[in-house]
């Protein structure tokens, strides 16, 4: 059985493990976690998907759970454009894939089949990207 009592007050003559005498609680090295840079838990500039000061310029809309940057373009808009105007390659023009858009334009969206399937995949799959390789946001 351990002789450690969790209710026992620390000895004021001995510094706590990792801390210095006279160091206030909550400081690094005292055994407490360090406070976040924003302080008080308020969101940093650019939180909630808006670009802001001090954010990564390569990912102004944040990152997905896999660490890939989000695009400013929506997968819902791309999917609806592709379903409604897929014969013109509208969804692919919107996402910045001109080669695929021209192919759909020349084949009338694969006689409608290719554009319909492509539009559904835009709406269902989470890994669709824009022309810069950024993941389309929901």
């Amino acid at each position: 059985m351990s002789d450690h009592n969790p209710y026992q007050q620390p000895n004021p003559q001995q510094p706590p493990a990792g801390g210095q005498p006279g160091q206030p609680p909550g400081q690094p090295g005292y055994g407490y976690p360090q406070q976040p840079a924003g302080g008080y838990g308020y969101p940093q500039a650019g939180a909630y998907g808006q670009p802001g000061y001090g954010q990564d310029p390569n990912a102004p809309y944040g990152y997905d759970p896999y660490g890939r940057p989000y695009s400013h373009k929506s997968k819902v808009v791309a999917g609806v454009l592709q379903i409604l105007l897929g014969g013109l390659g509208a969804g692919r023009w919107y996402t910045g894939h001109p080669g695929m858009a021209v192919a759909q334009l020349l084949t009338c969206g694969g006689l409608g089949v290719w554009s319909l399937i492509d539009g559904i995949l835009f709406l269902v799959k989470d890994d669709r990207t824009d022309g810069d390789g950024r993941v389309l946001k929901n």
Side-chain angles (χ1 to χ4, degrees):
M1 189 155 156
S2 173
D3 59 1
H4 175 11
N5 183 354
Y7 301 106
Q8 181 182 7
Q9 295 295 323
N11 185 351
Q13 301 299 323
Q14 290 183 328
Q20 299 295 325
Q23 186 178 18
Q27 296 297 322
Y30 193 78
Y32 293 96
Q34 191 172 5
Q35 293 293 327
Y40 301 113
Y42 292 116
Q44 299 281 334
Y48 306 116
Q50 293 92 8
Y53 176 75
Q55 251 191 329
D56 184 2
N58 295 326
Y61 296 95
Y63 292 94
D64 73 346
Y66 299 106
R68 300 174 298 184
Y70 276 122
S71 172
H72 67 282
K73 297 180 180 178
S74 168
K75 71 177 194 169
V76 174
V77 172
V80 170
L81 281 172
Q82 191 62 26
I83 290 171
L84 297 178
L85 300 171
L88 303 174
R92 291 301 183 156
W93 289 114
Y94 171 73
T95 59
H97 296 101
M100 192 81 80
V102 169
Q104 287 182 349
L105 180 64
L106 294 176
T107 63
C108 293
L111 299 177
V113 177
W114 179 14
S115 61
L116 178 66
I117 292 171
D118 203 22
I120 292 171
L121 288 176
F122 268 122
L123 295 173
V124 176
K125 295 190 74 166
D126 289 333
D127 62 348
R128 299 298 236 171
T129 60
D130 66 1
D132 296 325
R134 295 184 178 125
V135 179
L136 298 176
K137 62 183 177 179
N138 294 331

